[in-house]
Amino acid sequence: MRRAPAAGPAHPSPAGPGTPAALDLAVDRGSPVPLYYQLARQLETAIEQGALGPGSRLGNEVDLAGRLGLSRPTVRQAIQSLVDKGLLVRRRGVGTQVVHSQVKRPLELSSLYDDLEAAGQRPSTLVVRNAVERASAEVAATLGIAEGTEVHHLERLRLAHDEPMAFLSNHVPLDLLDIRTERLESTGLYRMMRAVGVTLHSARQSIGARRATAEEAERLAEPEGAALLTMHRTAYDDTGRAVEYGTHVYRASRYTFDFRLLVRP
């Protein structure tokens, strides 16, 4: 088995925006997996893990091919596959640059803030609405309270690397916790719940897709009519009480749900 002339495991070294990316990559020429795909996956992993942040440069195809001992068409195919995914862009006079990474979120009871932080995506939050309102019939039925009962209504724009990622709307029972805007801008809602002793236990969740309205498109930096992922979730604590009802929309170009399917015995 022969490898491209690169030392060490296939882990990229961090590269800051606007600087040539110093990558430590290796391809297995004895593997049945195409060389272009091996290279593309390593680059994609580097982007997803934040080692190649937005603005990082990969250099041109000739330089990469020479560095890795690969043919130029192989490198071009690997780069093009990531350009097609929206992760890279070719710029005249600059070379190939990282645009952004796509977030792959595990399908489990966790907050988007915690998932982004764990993935090195540098999450931040813009609170659009933090108000006390009377629950509509839908919200009341979902939270198991009487219609008209006061609840917290939160609307937040969640960002990763300062780019819009999702728009979150949540209704939370009023007596559950004190929700201050400044705190909500610096952390996740579930983390705030845990801090006051709420033990999240389970949730009912549905995932769908639709096209962005003009308002959603403007908020999420997408063209009007772009594909959005939708999620409706009701979370319960360990006593069975509904503690949150969320209706969220995510940029399909930046976000996927990742989960494992098992065969029942």
Side-chain angles (χ1 to χ4, degrees):
M1 178 175 69
R2 297 172 53 212
R3 291 182 179 269
H11 295 297
S13 302
T19 62
L23 300 176
D24 184 13
L25 301 166
V27 292
D28 183 355
R29 298 180 182 276
S31 170
V33 178
L35 296 178
Y36 90 88
Y37 186 80
Q38 293 184 46
L39 175 58
R41 282 298 299 132
Q42 291 178 64
L43 292 173
E44 185 172 356
T45 297
I47 295 169
E48 288 177 351
Q49 294 178 349
L52 286 176
S56 297
R57 291 187 293 174
L58 301 184
N60 60 45
E61 295 170 0
V62 175
D63 291 341
L64 279 176
R67 186 189 309 165
L68 299 173
L70 297 172
S71 70
R72 186 175 177 183
T74 296
V75 173
R76 182 185 302 121
Q77 189 174 6
I79 290 175
Q80 186 60 48
S81 69
L82 299 184
V83 170
D84 293 342
K85 287 185 175 183
L87 301 181
L88 299 177
V89 65
R90 290 188 174 98
R91 301 190 189 281
R92 185 181 298 275
V94 176
T96 305
Q97 279 187 298
V98 176
V99 181
H100 51 62
S101 60
Q102 186 177 60
V103 174
K104 295 183 178 179
R105 185 178 182 185
L107 199 60
E108 58 188 34
L109 185 51
S110 59
S111 74
L112 177 58
Y113 189 95
D114 290 343
D115 290 338
L116 291 173
E117 189 174 68
Q121 293 287 327
R122 208 173 73 231
S124 57
T125 304
L126 174 63
V127 177
V128 177
R129 186 182 192 86
N130 181 3
V132 174
E133 299 178 356
R134 296 192 180 278
S136 66
E138 177 187 1
V139 170
T142 304
L143 292 178
I145 58 178
E147 183 177 353
T149 301
E150 290 188 331
V151 295
H152 293 289
H153 182 197
L154 314 173
E155 291 184 344
R156 295 164 292 159
L157 185 65
R158 180 62 42 77
L159 304 97
H161 292 297
D162 299 322
E163 266 199 80
M165 179 68 62
F167 188 76
L168 318 174
S169 177
N170 297 82
H171 290 86
V172 178
L174 192 64
D175 62 348
L176 191 70
L177 74 166
D178 181 25
I179 303 179
R180 298 184 182 274
T181 297
E182 57 272 19
R183 177 65 173 153
L184 202 58
E185 288 180 336
S186 63
T187 190
L189 179 60
Y190 284 3
R191 193 174 294 182
M192 292 176 64
M193 289 184 182
R194 291 193 295 267
V196 297
V198 176
T199 301
L200 295 167
H201 178 267
S202 60
R204 294 179 60 88
Q205 180 170 287
S206 62
I207 297 171
R210 60 174 172 78
R211 295 188 180 277
T213 65
E215 182 180 19
E216 290 168 338
E218 183 176 0
R219 283 173 173 166
L220 296 173
E222 291 280 359
E224 185 175 352
L228 298 179
L229 292 172
T230 64
M231 183 179 77
H232 291 70
R233 173 188 283 182
T234 307
Y236 302 88
D237 67 9
D238 55 353
T239 70
R241 179 190 183 186
V243 295
E244 174 227 7
Y245 174 48
T247 57
H248 305 164
V249 292
Y250 305 84
R251 296 173 67 182
S253 63
R254 296 291 315 277
Y255 192 92
T256 61
F257 288 102
D258 189 27
F259 53 96
R260 177 177 298 180
L261 302 178
L262 299 176
V263 175
R264 289 186 178 180

